[in-house]
Amino acid sequence: MRSSPAERIADLWNRLHGLPGGRWLFSQILRLMIPYSGTVRPRVLELGPGYCRVEIRDRRRVRNHLNSVHAIALMNVGELTSGLAVTLGLPPSVRGIVRELSAEYLIKARGALTATCSFEPPAVTEEMDFRVTSEVRNAGAEVVARVHTIWRLAPRPAVRSGR
């Protein structure tokens, strides 16, 4: 039986994060696993059930015409941060998918940015919507954006044994 995405990600994180260069290697593997999110070159700093902290660098490729980090790059890192926190916060018997995504942009984002998502994982016994917020902060700890993600969570269908 194949392991769930949460089990694969948790296993990789547990094996790599404590090694020299392990967080960098984990982040590179994650970029391959999730190609679109990899476009902002996320570096996972901390990860656990219901918690994630990710850093992105300010570089020309993610900038807009106003010489700041583009709104969609901020949304990208906020959604990735919530996704990792939710994925590790759910048991293998539960699946989740993004149903809605929104953001508040508070000030221009410049310099190194850190997205953080923290919440208490819910008990999922039937299909439900679960709202998670990630905050993106600049090096001065100012909140530059809040990304709100609504996850549709549901128990995985029972696996039927076939003939």
Side-chain angles (χ1 to χ4, degrees):
M1 182 174 157
R2 296 182 69 194
S3 61
S4 71
E7 291 170 313
R8 290 190 301 272
I9 290 170
D11 181 55
L12 271 172
W13 177 255
N14 290 334
R15 287 190 299 159
L16 297 174
H17 84 275
L19 301 174
R23 291 170 200 240
W24 176 86
L25 182 57
F26 174 84
S27 297
Q28 298 307 307
I29 294 169
L30 191 66
R31 285 175 61 190
L32 294 172
M33 292 173 72
I34 311 169
Y36 182 77
S37 293
T39 62
V40 295
R41 292 188 183 168
R43 181 168 176 255
V44 179
L45 303 174
E46 296 179 75
L47 181 58
Y51 183 78
C52 185
R53 195 164 63 95
V54 174
E55 179 183 73
I56 64 169
R57 289 185 2 253
D58 180 349
R59 56 194 177 87
R60 187 179 191 303
R61 193 157 192 79
V62 297
R63 284 195 162 233
N64 60 24
H65 66 289
L66 301 173
N67 203 28
S68 60
V69 176
H70 196 283
I72 297 303
L74 297 172
M75 188 172 273
N76 187 335
V77 71
E79 188 274 338
L80 173 67
T81 304
S82 85
L84 290 170
V86 166
T87 299
L88 263 68
L90 299 176
S93 61
V94 174
R95 63 182 174 186
I97 189 164
V98 173
R99 198 175 75 70
E100 193 174 308
L101 194 58
S102 63
E104 301 170 65
Y105 303 103
L106 306 171
I107 60 174
K108 286 184 181 179
R110 294 193 171 116
L113 301 169
T114 304
T116 305
C117 182
S118 181
F119 60 88
E120 189 65 37
V124 180
T125 56
E126 60 186 34
E127 188 172 277
M128 65 182 284
D129 286 345
F130 183 65
R131 182 182 166 114
V132 177
T133 298
S134 298
E135 287 191 336
V136 183
R137 295 177 181 267
N138 62 19
E142 297 170 292
V143 177
V144 300
R146 284 189 192 93
V147 177
H148 308 286
T149 310
I150 296 178
W151 289 85
R152 173 67 48 92
L153 306 177
R156 290 185 187 275
V159 178
R160 294 175 41 179
S161 59
R163 292 185 182 183

